[in-house]
Amino acid sequence: MRRTNEATAAQIALGLATLAAGSVMLDRRSLSRRQKNRARAIKRHAAAISEVRALRPKLDPPATVTAAKRLNRAAGMLALSVLADSGIEHYRGSFRNKAMFTPLIVSALTLGISIHGTADRRESAHVIRDTTYLLTAATGLIGTGFHFYNVAKKSGGFSWQNLFYGAPLGAPMAILLSGLIGFCSERVRETPRGTTPSIFGLPAGRAMAALTSGGLLGTAGEAGLLHFRGAFHNPFMLLPVTLPPIGAALLARAAAAGPGRRHPFARWWMRLLVTMGIAGVGFHAYGVSRNMGGWRNWSQNVLNGPPLPAPPSFAGLALAGLAALALMRDHPDA
């Protein structure tokens, strides 16, 4: 009996040992399989990363295209401001001269092609955009002549009275600047890879900074004239005649400086001007509400109150300044 029990115990022990050995073998095989699968997954992941890195130069547009899209955005902002402003002002003038429809049509076209340019990732200039931007610049130049003639023919010529209440001399300059900025954006866009962006032989970033600097000074002068007419009764009316000239000076300094500088303060100031341009719409809306009848009499007060679409022109020029500074950062020689 004792021998039988011992034999049974030995068989049980042998069976348990066999099961344990089999379990260890299975665990080793399972571990080896998991390690192989993990190694394969790591290899596939590394291969996928390599493919993405190889495709990234093709997927990401070069810095010149990014700068061109920023300039398209700035031109579009200016065109939108001109479209709304000239629509209101020329409607107030009852479109006595049929040529007064021209800035509305041209600025609407400029806005449309600027939106198209902002979405375009190609590294070549677009013929229709080029042509439209040139037409826009010519319209602004001719419109400036019309406005000067309108003021000059009045009794007293270029008197304060006529400058205050005649055709605004600086208004057509906004559409001129929109066309110039848009045309320059196409020159930047078509820059071959590995070369320095240039506009008519001039470094593109510095040329755009100089152009934007002049635009800010002119726009500040126009705002100063109209705010002087309003006797600066609100202290905030001083902002459009103080902040933009400082921004113009910063951009002029950036245009004259040597390569390799990043101009962080100038970029910060341009962002401040963008904010000022957008906030200015709110201030002008408040000015409209202060007229008799407020917004209940909007059909009259919008025509006679502060021009709602005018302040975004500062935002458009500041966006152009930011684009120029970014181009100089990405291309130190530009």
Side-chain angles (χ1 to χ4, degrees):
M1 185 69 178
R2 182 178 297 175
R3 290 179 180 177
T4 303
N5 291 338
E6 289 178 355
T8 302
Q11 290 175 354
I12 292 172
L14 181 61
L16 291 174
T18 303
L19 288 174
S23 176
V24 170
M25 293 294 293
L26 289 175
D27 286 343
R28 287 182 177 177
R29 289 182 181 178
S30 177
L31 179 61
S32 177
R33 190 179 297 112
R34 286 199 299 269
Q35 288 176 342
K36 289 180 180 179
N37 291 337
R38 186 178 301 170
R40 290 172 185 167
I42 291 173
K43 288 181 179 179
R44 286 196 298 267
H45 183 65
I49 291 176
S50 299
E51 290 178 1
V52 170
R53 287 177 177 174
L55 289 173
R56 184 169 293 172
K58 300 179 182 179
L59 296 175
D60 293 341
T64 51
V65 173
T66 302
K69 292 168 68 173
R70 289 169 178 159
L71 291 172
N72 287 135
R73 191 179 303 123
M77 176 68 80
L78 281 170
L80 177 62
S81 176
V82 172
L83 174 62
D85 194 29
S86 61
I88 292 174
E89 296 298 324
H90 288 183
Y91 175 77
R92 184 173 65 177
S94 302
F95 291 97
R96 286 190 299 269
N97 188 334
K98 297 305 178 184
M100 296 168 77
F101 285 101
T102 304
L104 277 72
I105 298 171
V106 172
S107 56
L109 289 173
T110 306
L111 176 60
I113 63 168
S114 296
I115 294 173
H116 178 268
T118 302
D120 191 1
R121 297 169 61 91
R122 289 174 292 184
E123 301 177 37
S124 58
H126 195 280
V127 176
I128 296 178
R129 286 202 303 264
D130 251 346
T131 305
T132 306
Y133 281 134
L134 284 175
L135 176 64
T136 301
T139 301
L141 192 61
I142 295 171
T144 302
F146 271 113
H147 280 213
F148 268 86
Y149 171 73
N150 179 276
V151 173
K153 73 177 183 179
K154 293 181 180 294
S155 177
F158 290 96
S159 63
W160 286 112
Q161 177 76 12
N162 292 337
L163 290 175
F164 285 154
Y165 298 102
L169 298 180
M173 289 291 184
I175 194 66
L176 170 63
L177 287 169
S178 177
L180 289 177
I181 291 171
F183 181 77
C184 291
S185 74
E186 298 303 300
R187 307 287 72 75
V188 173
R189 184 187 294 272
E190 66 182 2
T191 303
R193 289 177 182 257
T195 60
T196 300
S198 62
I199 300 172
F200 300 120
L202 300 173
R206 286 162 177 75
M208 289 308 306
L211 174 64
T212 307
S213 175
L216 284 172
L217 285 177
T219 308
E222 179 73 12
L225 178 66
L226 297 179
H227 286 191
F228 177 68
R229 184 183 71 179
F232 291 97
H233 62 272
N234 188 326
F236 284 105
M237 295 172 73
L238 292 169
L239 294 181
V241 298
T242 53
L243 299 185
I246 296 174
L250 291 172
L251 286 177
R253 179 176 176 272
R261 299 189 181 183
R262 302 182 69 85
H263 310 288
F265 186 69
R267 289 201 302 273
W268 180 86
W269 201 267
M270 291 301 108
R271 295 187 184 100
L272 177 63
L273 292 182
V274 171
T275 304
M276 185 199 75
I278 296 173
V281 178
F283 280 109
H284 281 206
Y286 172 71
V288 171
S289 71
R290 294 179 69 251
N291 289 333
M292 184 175 293
W295 280 100
R296 293 188 301 275
N297 187 27
W298 66 269
S299 60
Q300 181 176 353
N301 289 338
V302 167
L303 295 177
N304 297 322
L308 293 174
S313 59
F314 285 109
L317 288 169
L319 288 174
L322 283 171
L325 294 170
L327 186 59
M328 285 188 279
R329 179 194 61 203
D330 297 334
H331 286 270
D333 294 329

